[in-house]
Amino acid sequence: MAPDKMLSGRQGYGDDVANEEEGMITFYHAPWSRASNMLWLLEELGAPYQIEKVDIRAPGGVPEEYRAIQPNKKVPAIVDDGVLVTERAAICTYLCDAFPEAGLAPAIGDKMRAPYLTWLVYADSVFDPVLAAKAHGHEFMGSGYSYGSFSEMIANLERTLSSRPYIAGDRFTAADTQIGGGINFGTQVLKVLPEKPVFKDYVDRLTARPAFQRASQKDFAMAREAGMVPG
């Protein structure tokens, strides 16, 4: 299990860029959040990492100094060898380039490269904002927003996953950790995505993966430690 450190009592979030342990990726994380899919990716990659817990649910909000790491005080973020990376699509691209032996990113020239990159960006630019809007009860005309409508997103996902076993093609990629993890969260936790058979079959394939199960166990343990689990 990766080392796990709390941020309380530290000099400040910005100091972690300099204080990163040699050879370790510092991963800024909050359990049961948008960062959970990145935890899964790190497990898939077999990357050495240490967790910096960010309490996004603190009564006073995330401390202002965390903006030195993430300008909107969101998770995830990583620091690798002094290099700070934010935004999930960028983090996925960076990590898969750093650990090519894991085979989670189609190589340049591979026909799956284009759909892989498309779906990585789609997770951040379309899926996440549309899902958040739906969960908060916001109704809007898709033509007025860059990410389109909820019904368009559902149709796109259903059409794609009806044609192939994974979001980018015939094999698992890092894009599945982001889209598949989002579908799982949207159906099982937020309960705002329709439980279509094609979604269920897709999620079942993904959640059977050992790396997903390891990440879920770690996330649950952190959520319990944070008092998020009843009893």
Side-chain angles (χ1 to χ4, degrees), residues 115 119 122 153-169 179 198-199 202 205:
W119 283 104
Y122 191 91
M153 182 193 75
I154 295 300
N156 189 24
L157 289 170
E158 186 172 20
R159 181 172 56 251
T160 300
L161 291 171
S162 294
S163 69
R164 55 205 192 206
Y166 297 102
I167 199 65
I179 293 291
V198 70
F199 292 171
Y202 175 55
R205 281 193 292 278

Side-chain angles (χ1 to χ4, degrees), residues 81-148:
D81 194 23
V83 176
L84 173 64
V85 190
T86 65
E87 310 309 323
R88 288 176 301 173
I91 296 170
C92 285
T93 303
Y94 178 91
L95 287 175
C96 289
D97 286 348
F99 297 91
E101 64 277 5
L104 295 185
I108 294 173
D110 189 319
K111 290 184 178 180
M112 279 182 57
R113 180 75 177 182
Y116 161 75
L117 292 173
T118 296
W119 283 104
L120 273 185
V121 175
Y122 191 91
D124 272 345
S125 62
V126 178
F127 183 90
D128 195 57
V130 171
L131 188 68
K134 185 70 172 178
H136 286 90
H138 299 320
E139 299 295 335
F140 56 90
M141 294 293 292
S143 59
Y145 294 83
S146 61
Y147 40 77

Side-chain angles (χ1 to χ4, degrees), residues 15-90:
D15 298 324
D16 296 314
V17 175
N19 294 341
E20 176 194 8
E21 291 184 23
E22 186 175 356
M24 279 280 182
I25 294 167
T26 300
F27 171 48
Y28 295 86
H29 178 60
W32 294 354
S33 74
R34 298 165 70 252
S36 296
N37 295 334
M38 203 57 62
L39 177 62
W40 175 17
L41 177 61
L42 286 164
E43 289 291 329
E44 291 280 0
L45 291 169
Y49 67 93
Q50 57 189 6
I51 293 175
E52 291 283 1
K53 296 177 183 176
V54 181
D55 189 358
I56 61 173
R57 302 172 180 90
V62 178
E64 187 62 23
E65 61 264 29
Y66 182 60
R67 288 194 197 277
I69 297 297
Q70 216 287 347
N72 296 101
K73 300 199 296 186
K74 303 293 185 180
V75 289
I78 66 166
V79 174
D80 180 34
D81 194 23
V83 176
L84 173 64
V85 190
T86 65
E87 310 309 323
R88 288 176 301 173

